[in-house]
Each structure stands twice: as structure tokens, then as C-alpha cells.
Amino acid sequence: MMSKTKVIAFANNKGGSGKTTTCSNVGCAMALEGYKVLMIDGDMQMNLTISYFDEEKALEFAQNGKTIHTAVKEEKDLSDFITHTGIDGLDIVPSSSLMSSIEFDLFSKWQRELVLTKCLEKICALGYYDYVLIDSPPTLGGWVMNIMCASNYLIIPVEASPWGLFGLANMFEFCNQVQRINPKLQILGIAITKADERKKYFKQTFETLQSLEGVKLFDTYIRVDSTVEWAQDSSRPVVDFKKTSRSAMEYIQLTKEIIDNVNRKELA
């Protein structure tokens, strides 16, 4: 296990891509494999936070100011905003509905694209965590640029639907812009979610993504599974809620692919 902390952003400017669910389950699967993982909920919808805590507890974090919004607005070290999830080796920096104002909060800051990078500086330097996973909102603005500037790798979850590919070209163009500021950022791969192999558009989505030059499509895709919704209703990731379910096994396999790809790139 490498000591260097790797930061991975999960982003897609299209909503409903399964981005938060993927981030939540990959983080949990990594922890179950023995890695130390910190997740950061960067979305005002707070869904990553609610993947581990009920709404009452999530609101309590917001009221106490123990959220990513407070840390970024006040440009503080994230170490003081970490909460344990209850799963060994897995921590989180919760979100808040106040993230709706984050673009305004960042606007007047010096080197505003690098605020999150500075907030993460101490955590990454200490190397306690093997991975930091950041869930992004479904937008392409200054805050998502912050997230990607702070990251080594980007994973793009894509829903296997007729509209799933919509806006993907914008995502790649935005990534190119970020790489001018953070040349270390690499697209680790695209992960297909909400797949239904019975439907024709799944095959079309798969073949289109497979044909993209220079962008890896993960071999493991996540199929539609109602167990995911039951897990969400219980404020637990599905790999913790029911490890034997089809979706849990797929997320565990996807996580192994992600770790293998990161290790290959780190050794390159």
C-alpha cells in the first residue's frame, strides 16, 4: 500500500449520473479493503453526507459549521472538519445547503481556483489517508474547478440512458481548462451506471464510450438494482448494507479496477 495520498474527484455536469452513489460506494469498498479514506461532500444536496448519516445528523453538522462550506469560506485546514462515518478507515467532511453560495464566496478570494487545494494541503502532506474522494455538484463552475484543481484523478460516472452522454464534450473541455492550472490531473476513467442490458440504448452508450480515444472506460459497469435505493433509505452505501447484492459486488469490482489503475499510473 502506497503512503502517498491520492485525490480523486467524481464529477459530471449532468445530474442523475450516479455520481454520488458511485463515490459513496467506492469509498466504502476501499475502506473495507483496508485503505484509509476521506470523502468530501462538495454538493449542496448533501447526498454523500446522507449516505452515512440521517438527515437530522446531517443538519446538525451544518448548524455546528462542521462542513466543507465553512472550511472553504474561511480557508481553513480541513483536518478540523472531519467526521468519522462509523465504518473503520472511512471519514467524511460533510456538506451543507449553504454550498449554494459557494461560487459567490470564492469570487473575491485570491487564487480562488486553489482554495480547496490549500485546505487539503496538510492532510495530503501527512499521508494518513490513502485516498481522498470528492463528490462534485452537477455543474461546471468555479467550485468544480476548485475540486478538480485539488485532485490527481477524475472519474466521470455516466448514466446508461439516451441523455447520459449529453454534455460529456463540455466535461472534457472543462477538464482541459483545469489541466492548464493543474497539469497533474488525469482522467482515470468513465464508469457506466444505471445500466439495463435489456435496453438498446445501453449497447449504444457502451459502444460510444468505448470508442473515445485516450479515455478509459472501466470494464465494470453498475446495473440497475433496487437494493441501492433500500441502502440509501437506510443511510448506508450498498456495499455495507448488503455486500452480497449484485450492485455491491459490481461496486467492489469497480473499486478494484480503480485502485489497479491508480497504482499503474503512480508507478508509470
Side-chain angles (χ1 to χ4, degrees):
M1 201 179 291
M2 298 180 186
S3 60
K4 182 185 173 186
T5 301
K6 279 79 70 176
V7 184
I8 304 176
F10 290 74
N12 190 331
N13 57 310
K14 184 186 178 305
S17 64
K19 172 180 51 58
T20 302
T21 306
T22 303
C23 180
S24 169
N25 281 283
V26 168
C28 186
M30 284 178 167
L32 293 175
E33 285 289 313
Y35 292 93
K36 300 289 186 186
V37 182
L38 173 65
M39 298 181 302
I40 299 173
D41 188 350
D43 192 347
M44 65 170 282
Q45 296 178 74
M46 304 165 59
N47 287 338
L48 185 64
T49 306
I50 296 169
S51 295
Y52 290 90
F53 301 96
D54 60 32
E55 289 187 38
E56 186 178 340
K57 190 68 177 175
L59 291 171
E60 184 183 311
F61 293 141
Q63 288 167 358
N64 294 340
K66 197 173 181 179
T67 67
I68 185 65
H69 177 261
T70 306
V72 170
K73 186 176 181 180
E74 298 179 8
E75 299 184 63
K76 290 186 174 178
D77 170 30
L78 276 185
S79 302
D80 297 329
F81 298 86
I82 294 171
T83 297
H84 184 52
T85 63
I87 294 172
D88 287 346
L90 187 61
D91 297 334
I92 189 170
V93 176
S95 186
S96 160
S97 59
L98 294 174
M99 286 298 289
S100 59
S101 69
I102 195 67
E103 297 290 338
F104 178 79
D105 296 330
L106 288 169
F107 184 75
S108 61
K109 294 188 181 297
W110 183 69
Q111 291 187 323
R112 58 180 176 265
E113 298 89 354
L114 301 175
V115 175
L116 182 58
T117 302
K118 293 169 186 172
C119 293
L120 268 170
E121 204 165 36
K122 184 178 176 182
I123 286 172
C124 291
L126 288 172
Y128 173 77
Y129 293 103
D130 299 296
Y131 290 94
V132 174
L133 308 183
I134 311 176
D135 185 33
S136 311
T139 59
L140 295 179
W143 173 232
V144 175
M145 181 168 282
N146 245 272
I147 290 171
M148 289 167 69
C149 280
S151 301
N152 307 112
Y153 301 104
L154 170 65
I155 292 175
I156 307 173
V158 172
E159 179 187 9
S161 74
W163 288 352
L165 301 176
F166 184 76
L168 199 54
N170 292 339
M171 191 76 211
F172 292 141
E173 176 55 34
F174 188 80
C175 186
N176 287 336
Q177 293 175 24
V178 174
Q179 285 169 328
R180 294 170 194 163
I181 304 169
N182 175 22
K184 293 181 180 179
L185 179 69
Q186 300 179 59
I187 298 177
L188 194 63
I190 293 174
I192 294 179
T193 65
K194 302 182 182 179
D196 187 340
E197 295 163 308
R198 298 168 299 178
K199 297 184 177 177
K200 185 188 250 184
Y201 57 70
F202 165 72
K203 187 179 178 183
Q204 292 173 339
T205 302
F206 189 85
E207 289 175 351
T208 301
L209 293 173
Q210 208 171 31
S211 68
L212 294 174
E213 289 185 18
V215 182
K216 177 178 174 55
L217 176 64
F218 290 112
D219 295 329
T220 307
Y221 50 84
I222 311 301
R223 287 174 285 181
V224 174
D225 185 353
S226 61
T227 313
V228 173
E229 294 169 354
W230 286 110
Q232 290 170 341
D233 188 55
S234 301
S235 296
R236 290 165 68 190
V238 72
V239 297
D240 178 58
F241 178 76
K242 191 175 182 182
K243 197 173 181 179
T244 56
S245 66
R246 183 178 69 185
S247 53
M249 290 188 284
E250 288 168 352
Y251 275 119
I252 289 167
Q253 187 57 40
L254 174 62
T255 301
K256 289 176 180 175
E257 265 199 83
I258 289 169
I259 291 168
D260 287 346
N261 286 352
V262 168
N263 288 342
R264 277 197 293 270
K265 287 182 179 293
E266 293 289 312
L267 292 169

